[in-house]
Amino acid sequence: MKITAPISRVEEIALLSEAGADEFYCSVVPESWSAAFKTSAVSRRAFGNLPSFDDLEKAVIEAHRLDKQLHLVMNSQHYTGEQLNCLLELAQFFDKINGDAVIVGDETLLALLGSHQFNFSIHVSSIASCRNSEAANFHQALGADRIIFPRDMKLSEMESMVAANPGLEHEAFMLNDGCVYEEGSCH
């Protein structure tokens, strides 16, 4: 079992590592994104963005120094074509700095990233509502390496998917933020 924790500052990595975290996730909003789209919605965690590409690179270096992984979140439910091009550039930068995985919620972005020869893994966000083994097979065919279960799935449902999809990693939340909306129907 691995513990995965969110960060919004590079300094949190060492503290959370000492507390037992094995993997970290965050997002970053490229200046080109904000200028072009007038939004910070690269991911669903508006408060979980590192302020710059420099900080993202520092976060990867710090995580690796501690023998941990850093995952980049790009998990809005959908993106425009222009946004996908910007995210591809972000993914290329993340690959160049040896990031470990991206977390995606949009199947079009998943397919786009899966069609490239990146060195990072691709994780399907809980927001994609991957709830059964056929959906897991679909996401794996697009390039996914890990499925993050929707937060409201029962353990028996998770066990069934794990058994049916041994070629995928799986991740489950232990702490829910208390939101009443189901992941894929987020409002």
Side-chain angles (χ1 to χ4, degrees):
M1 176 178 76
K2 295 178 185 174
I3 297 174
T4 304
I7 63 159
S8 56
R9 294 185 335 271
V10 175
E11 299 78 28
E12 294 172 326
I13 294 172
L15 296 171
L16 291 167
S17 179
E18 287 178 29
D22 301 295
E23 301 174 342
F24 305 96
Y25 64 92
C26 62
S27 188
V28 66
V29 181
E31 288 181 26
S32 59
W33 179 279
S34 298
F37 309 118
K38 310 294 187 239
T39 179
S40 63
V42 169
S43 74
R44 291 183 56 225
R45 294 183 70 240
F47 55 89
N49 295 322
L50 294 176
S52 69
F53 279 6
D54 286 343
D55 282 322
L56 180 60
E57 186 169 13
K58 289 175 187 173
V60 169
I61 291 168
E62 178 66 3
H64 290 177
R65 183 185 73 77
L66 297 169
D67 200 27
K68 309 293 182 178
Q69 291 192 359
L70 187 91
H71 305 166
L72 179 63
V73 181
M74 296 187 275
N75 73 338
S76 285
Q77 290 170 296
H78 49 81
Y79 299 101
T80 67
E82 286 181 82
Q83 290 172 330
L84 290 170
N85 290 333
C86 191
L87 292 173
L88 182 58
E89 291 174 13
L90 176 56
Q92 290 166 338
F93 174 78
F94 190 63
D95 193 49
K96 179 181 171 185
I97 63 171
N98 298 312
D100 298 294
V102 295
I103 301 171
V104 301
D106 174 78
E107 282 80 8
T108 305
L109 177 59
L110 171 61
L112 178 64
L113 297 176
S115 71
H116 287 75
Q117 298 298 317
F118 290 121
N119 294 309
F120 54 70
S121 297
I122 302 174
H123 300 175
V124 174
S125 172
S126 60
I127 196 71
S129 293
C130 184
R131 300 188 157 280
N132 59 54
S133 60
E134 289 303 314
N137 287 333
F138 170 74
H139 288 94
Q140 187 176 24
L142 293 178
D145 301 291
R146 179 187 290 183
I147 301 296
I148 303 171
F149 295 119
R151 297 170 196 235
D152 63 330
M153 282 184 71
K154 297 177 184 175
L155 287 176
S156 59
E157 295 169 324
M158 292 179 200
E159 288 172 347
S160 176
M161 277 184 64
V162 169
N165 301 98
L168 284 170
E169 292 181 16
H170 299 85
E171 181 178 325
F173 283 92
M174 291 187 61
L175 177 64
N176 192 341
D177 59 7
C179 184
V180 298
Y181 293 106
E182 190 278 330
E183 294 279 10
S185 300
C186 181
H187 293 286

